[in-house]
Amino acid sequence: MSAEEYANNQAYDELFDHQLLPRDVAKPLLDYLASMDEAELAARKQAVDSAILAMGVTFTIYSDAGNIDRAWPFDIVPRIIDSKEWDTVQKGLKQRLTALNMFINDLYNEQRIVKDGIFPIEVLSGSKNFRQQCIGITPRFGAWAHICGTDLVRDADGTMYVLEDNLRVPSGVSYMLENRQIMKRVFPELFQTTNIKPIDNYPTLLYKTLTALSPRKIKSPVIVVLTPGIYNSAYFEHSYLAEQMSANLAEGSDLVVDDKDIVYMKTITGLERVDVIYRRVDDDFLDPEVFNPESVLGVKGLMRAWRKGNVAIANAPGAGVADDKIVYTFVPQIIQYYLGEEPIIKNVPSYLCMYEDQREYVLNNLDKLVVKPANESGGYGMLIGPRSTKKERDEFTKLITENPRNYMAQPTLNISTGPTIINGQLAPRHLDLRPFVLQSEQLHVTMGGLTRVAMRQGSLVVNSSQGGGSKDTWIVEGGH
């Protein structure tokens, strides 16, 4: 263990308490790791790296022209969460997505929450992802966001918070599944001695979620995963999920909409009707007839087919209206309005730059806050105040002043750490967690999720596109 780094670690550690003793749920694992010498640990790490290469687990960085695919960065020390705590987290995530889907459906129909003065009209009118083309539609089960990736962080006192909701095309679930397969392959004995909740049923749950949306009540509806193509950063995941569900992987040019607004897929035996599209293409590029006319990634006429109920689309077009980081700040009121309940998992306190008093506070405290644009993802476009330069803060002052609706800010949380193997030693590295929630006829939450870890000492940026890595996440029974 890196004693110096742990002595200076002021964050909550997922596996060690403040006296550097193993937490109850982590003791078997840490005892097991302590029984291995440095050479054996290095050999297991090498086995993991070889498994990742053999399994072809990659991710893509757009800026690395000429070398776009990289092996998935993975740390062999898992994150462990007690199942009793996870029961509460699951309830909170289900509560949240239920309310968000009611909210989205309301916005595209009666807009009661706006008329009742709970959700500000100025936030809605400034929404980049509110789609006029979706007004008047209610998808099956009232569900718009069928697959949600909610980012959770734990503060220094151990409290779990929701950091943000990802409702458009959330990525990462394939890496969650592959992380588990890698761990089972390299550390099979751990799965024989530890009661770890399984996650292998995710493709089955996703298939059932999508099947329930089919407009044709047939035994085996035709499901397509619609991908932008091989150059998309999540292409590995698109192809992986299609394979796991025995669904079809298609690009926009593989689909066609006929004059009766039915969607078909081109096959070597002719056209085959499509019932459900799990789209991984942003709204702007989904249908050139309705959105960006220059798009070659989408399918002309797809919105006509969807509006007529001839095809289901997950996540539905327009679901991104609730993916806005400004909307995120209103989720506690949204839960209270639609469900009459207090949020089970709290939001991180936030400041909206569109309001003068909050904007003034943000501009006066840029060196202490994390500033986020409303609709970016992947860690892009953010300012991490304590690690920023004066030039960067000046740039954000200008950006916020010119477009205050587009920015919100949060305190810089001292998010939790997990022991991570760095240069052959366990060292604390900050991490977050992205569980996945499915909603159509029923609600399901994954047993854990994708733990992302900032591999650089002190860094709070966990995104793989920004140099982050990942860990397997264990929900373990019997921690108390």
Side-chain angles (χ1 to χ4, degrees):
M1 178 186 292
S2 174
E4 183 180 349
E5 283 199 44
Y6 260 103
N8 294 324
N9 185 31
Q10 301 300 311
Y12 179 101
D13 193 87
E14 297 289 336
L15 302 194
F16 292 109
D17 67 16
H18 66 283
Q19 294 179 313
L20 287 186
L21 297 173
R23 298 190 185 278
D24 287 347
V25 289
K27 193 169 186 311
L29 170 74
L30 294 172
D31 286 347
Y32 173 82
L33 291 176
S35 71
M36 302 170 68
D37 61 26
E38 195 170 316
E40 187 174 359
L41 200 59
R44 298 292 183 106
K45 178 70 173 66
Q46 180 58 47
V48 165
D49 293 341
S50 299
I52 289 172
L53 286 176
M55 295 162 72
V57 187
T58 63
F59 74 106
T60 305
I61 295 181
Y62 289 123
S63 58
D64 286 356
N67 185 25
I68 58 172
D69 285 333
R70 286 192 170 180
W72 179 241
F74 179 73
D75 180 67
I76 63 174
V77 183
R79 175 190 192 153
I80 305 179
I81 300 173
D82 188 283
S83 62
K84 290 180 180 175
E85 180 183 19
W86 193 249
D87 287 344
T88 303
V89 173
Q90 278 188 312
K91 290 174 186 171
L93 293 173
K94 288 180 178 179
Q95 177 196 55
R96 198 171 180 95
L97 187 56
T98 299
L100 283 169
N101 269 320
M102 294 173 77
F103 169 69
I104 301 169
N105 200 51
D106 188 20
L107 289 187
Y108 287 115
N109 289 280
E110 295 90 351
Q111 297 193 350
R112 290 185 296 113
I113 195 170
V114 178
K115 293 170 185 170
D116 288 343
I118 306 299
F119 186 71
I121 184 65
E122 61 267 26
V123 177
L124 179 61
S125 60
S127 172
K128 179 181 172 186
N129 290 309
F130 180 77
R131 306 294 180 184
Q132 297 287 338
Q133 300 88 341
C134 299
I135 290 176
I137 294 176
T138 296
R140 184 180 290 272
F141 310 117
W144 291 73
H146 306 94
I147 299 100
C148 174
T150 297
D151 292 344
L152 303 176
V153 292
R154 200 193 293 273
D155 198 2
D157 65 0
T159 304
M160 195 88 83
Y161 291 93
V162 174
L163 187 63
E164 61 184 51
D165 304 288
N166 297 279
L167 302 170
R168 284 176 287 179
V169 285
S171 295
V173 74
S174 63
Y175 299 113
M176 176 192 79
L177 297 169
E178 291 285 38
N179 286 352
R180 177 60 54 84
Q181 290 303 313
I182 292 166
M183 288 298 286
K184 280 185 173 179
R185 181 184 291 201
V186 180
F187 296 95
E189 61 273 31
L190 287 174
F191 290 85
Q192 295 170 356
T193 57
T194 311
N195 193 357
I196 305 164
K197 297 277 190 180
I199 56 172
D200 316 62
N201 63 343
Y202 180 82
T204 302
L205 293 176
L206 177 61
Y207 179 80
K208 288 181 176 177
T209 298
L210 297 175
T211 299
L213 302 175
S214 173
R216 286 198 298 170
K217 295 297 109 184
I218 56 178
K219 186 176 179 182
S220 300
V222 176
I223 297 175
V224 163
V225 178
L226 179 62
T227 175
I230 193 170
Y231 294 109
N232 185 270
S233 62
Y235 181 77
F236 168 82
E237 175 155 298
H238 306 161
S239 58
Y240 178 88
L241 291 176
E243 181 185 1
Q244 293 295 311
M245 291 192 293
S246 297
N248 302 281
L249 180 66
E251 298 184 23
S253 58
D254 298 321
L255 305 180
V256 61
V257 179
D258 73 358
D259 56 6
K260 294 180 181 176
D261 301 329
I262 307 290
V263 182
Y264 291 93
M265 177 174 54
K266 302 170 190 172
T267 75
I268 56 173
T269 57
L271 296 178
E272 182 177 16
R273 180 168 175 173
V274 173
D275 299 293
V276 184
I277 297 175
Y278 178 23
R279 60 86 174 229
R280 303 300 296 261
V281 174
D282 285 338
D283 284 355
D284 283 338
F285 304 99
L286 200 55
D287 181 352
E289 192 175 275
V290 174
F291 299 118
N292 184 344
E294 304 296 323
S295 172
V296 294
L297 301 178
V299 185
K300 186 179 179 182
L302 184 57
M303 286 293 287
R304 276 189 280 117
W306 179 64
R307 287 184 65 94
K308 283 194 174 181
N310 292 335
V311 70
I313 303 177
N315 285 332
V321 66
D323 197 349
D324 185 317
K325 293 181 178 62
I326 311 304
V327 174
Y328 155 89
T329 65
F330 291 92
V331 172
Q333 293 96 312
I334 290 170
I335 291 173
Q336 179 63 241
Y337 181 75
Y338 292 107
L339 303 178
E341 301 171 359
E342 292 297 318
I344 296 172
I345 313 175
K346 293 181 179 178
N347 273 16
V348 176
S350 304
Y351 305 94
L352 297 183
C353 296
M354 62 187 294
Y355 297 126
E356 187 175 353
D357 56 337
Q358 296 181 45
R359 179 170 67 248
E360 188 175 346
Y361 175 82
V362 172
L363 292 175
N364 289 332
N365 292 277
L366 282 176
D367 60 333
K368 304 178 185 67
L369 300 170
V370 175
V371 182
K372 299 178 181 179
N375 292 294
E376 293 288 343
S377 60
Y380 293 103
M382 291 170 48
L383 176 79
I384 299 180
R387 292 172 175 75
S388 65
T389 64
K390 183 177 184 306
K391 181 183 176 185
E392 289 169 335
R393 293 194 292 275
D394 289 344
E395 289 173 355
F396 267 78
T397 297
K398 185 170 183 290
L399 289 169
I400 291 170
T401 304
E402 290 177 351
N403 187 7
R405 164 61 178 83
N406 195 46
Y407 290 93
M408 57 92 81
Q410 296 170 326
T412 308
L413 296 182
N414 191 12
I415 63 175
S416 65
T417 58
T420 303
I421 295 183
I422 305 292
N423 298 325
Q425 289 189 316
L426 291 179
R429 290 294 181 268
H430 294 290
L431 40 76
D432 76 352
L433 178 64
R434 177 175 290 182
F436 296 86
V437 194
L438 302 174
Q439 182 173 3
S440 60
E441 193 171 13
Q442 296 181 325
L443 273 160
H444 303 281
V445 180
T446 50
M447 277 293 170
L450 176 66
T451 290
R452 303 182 299 178
V453 55
M455 301 301 284
R456 289 190 289 270
Q457 183 180 1
S459 174
L460 299 172
V461 181
V462 298
N463 308 75
S464 55
S465 54
Q466 307 282 324
S470 74
K471 293 169 171 285
D472 194 12
T473 309
W474 292 0
I475 306 300
V476 172
E477 279 193 61
H480 295 290

